[in-house]
């Protein structure tokens, strides 16, 4: 089959289509013919050699996809050949076929397009775990979503709005700001306005922050928290670690989110961090999160925002476009 196998780290141009052996499912695995692939920022970091959860090279990249079940292992109980599924796993989706553990395959949404199904799982599960499982966001609370026009950001704005919260979202361009507003959020241009002052002038501190940037953004976000406020870190997009550049090590350490426990105690604030990849090793917990999120999505008629669709031969361009920070919503590759 055709696949993108990561053999070395580097720029997007290192991503090349190869012919590799088509996988066969183990007893508890489902084999899927892939139709669409969701692109994640974690895969950008993996390609650069900056992602700790990445497997040992060489491996077929790609954390999520949508497609049709074409074969099942002898111990698989919940799927049959012909079922449409969403897959989320550590690697294996940048290909024509993938095999995934049964508990990491999920029923596709009938009302979604193939592109929307590929765009859903990682972003919505990340946002759900951050806002509901960790921050326990409730109706009427004030919530700030950093980088709100991206894949996780647009999912979080929708979830926060559906929960009945006042949702602020930061972005830098008119297209992104309009998207946040269309999803029910209050957009703030962080390049032209101080998001701290804007929110303080619009009602005061917030109850919850979903933080994806690090550095000064993290520090300001902490200052914005009310008493009993909660902040959850799900990424460090401002960091640009270069293994060969020791000066970048210093900057990365300086910008990494840090907290003073005494200050947290004095202000009764909480800081969390989440990475859903590590959660998926727990089959029961993964199923619990999915059931909650699936029901909530159906009840509130939420849908992922697909920003741009690339062909399979353009996967390197998809990486390059995501790195440019011009993208909105989720980038999807179609086979």
């Amino acid at each position: 089959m055709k696949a993108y196998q990561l053999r070395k780290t580097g720029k997007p141009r290192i991503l090349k289509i190869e012919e590799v052996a088509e996988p066969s499912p183990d007893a508890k695995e489902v084999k899927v013919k892939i139709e669409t692939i969701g692109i994640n920022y974690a895969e950008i970091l993996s390609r650069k050699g900056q992602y700790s959860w990445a497997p040992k090279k060489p491996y077929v990249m790609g954390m999520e996809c949508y497609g049709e079940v074409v074969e099942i292992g002898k111990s698989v109980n919940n799927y049959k050949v012909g079922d449409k599924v969403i897959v989320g796993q550590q690697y294996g989706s940048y290909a024509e076929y993938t095999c995934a553990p049964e508990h990491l395959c999920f029923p596709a949404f009938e009302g979604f397009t193939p592109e929307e199904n590929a765009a859903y799982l990682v972003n919505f599960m990340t946002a759900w775990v951050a806002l509901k499982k960790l921050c326990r966001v409730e109706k009427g609370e004030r919530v700030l979503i950093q980088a709100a026009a991206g894949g996780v950001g647009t999912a979080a704005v929708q979830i926060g709005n559906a929960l009945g919260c006042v949702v602020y979202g930061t972005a830098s361009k008119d297209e992104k700001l309009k998207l946040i507003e269309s999803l029910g959020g209050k957009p703030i241009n962080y390049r032209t306005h101080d998001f701290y002052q804007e929110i303080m002038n619009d009602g005061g501190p917030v109850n919850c922050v979903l933080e994806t940037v690090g550095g000064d953004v993290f520090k300001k976000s902490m200052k914005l928290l009310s008493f009993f406020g909660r902040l959850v870190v799900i990424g460090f997009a401002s960091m640009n670690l270069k293994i060969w550049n020791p000066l970048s090590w210093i900057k990365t350490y300086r910008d990494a989110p840090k907290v003073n426990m005494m200050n947290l105690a004095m202000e009764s604030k909480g800081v969390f961090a989440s990475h859903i990849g590590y959660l998926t090793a727990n089959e029961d917990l993964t199923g619990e999160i999915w059931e909650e999120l699936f029901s909530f999505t159906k009840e509130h008629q939420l849908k992922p925002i697909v920003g741009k669709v690339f062909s399979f031969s353009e996967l390197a361009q998809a990486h390059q476009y995501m790195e440019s920070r011009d993208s909105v919503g989720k980038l999807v590759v179609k086979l």
Side-chain angles (χ1 to χ4, degrees), residues 97-108:
Y97 295 90
T98 192
C99 290
E102 181 181 14
H103 82 279
L104 296 181
C105 298
F106 306 91

Side-chain angles (χ1 to χ4, degrees), residues 23 98-99 129 138 165 169 212 225 295 310 328:
T98 192
C99 290
V129 167
E138 297 179 355
C165 300
T212 60
L225 285 180
S295 298
F310 295 80
V328 299

Side-chain angles (χ1 to χ4, degrees), residues 191-222:
R191 291 196 185 279
T192 60
H193 295 76
D194 184 323
F195 72 82
Y196 174 85
Q197 289 298 333
E198 288 291 304
I199 294 174
M200 290 298 290
N201 293 339
D202 192 51
V206 298
N207 306 103
C208 174
V209 179
L210 195 158
E211 219 293 272
T212 60
V213 183
D216 291 338
V217 173
F218 172 81
K219 294 173 185 176
K220 276 190 180 182
S221 297
M222 285 297 299

Side-chain angles (χ1 to χ4, degrees), residues 39-58:
I39 304 297
N40 293 283
Y41 192 71
E43 293 148 16
I44 305 296
L45 297 177
S46 295
R47 195 201 71 236
K48 292 179 172 182
Q50 299 175 5
Y51 195 53
S52 61
W53 197 55
K56 185 178 179 180
K57 298 186 290 293

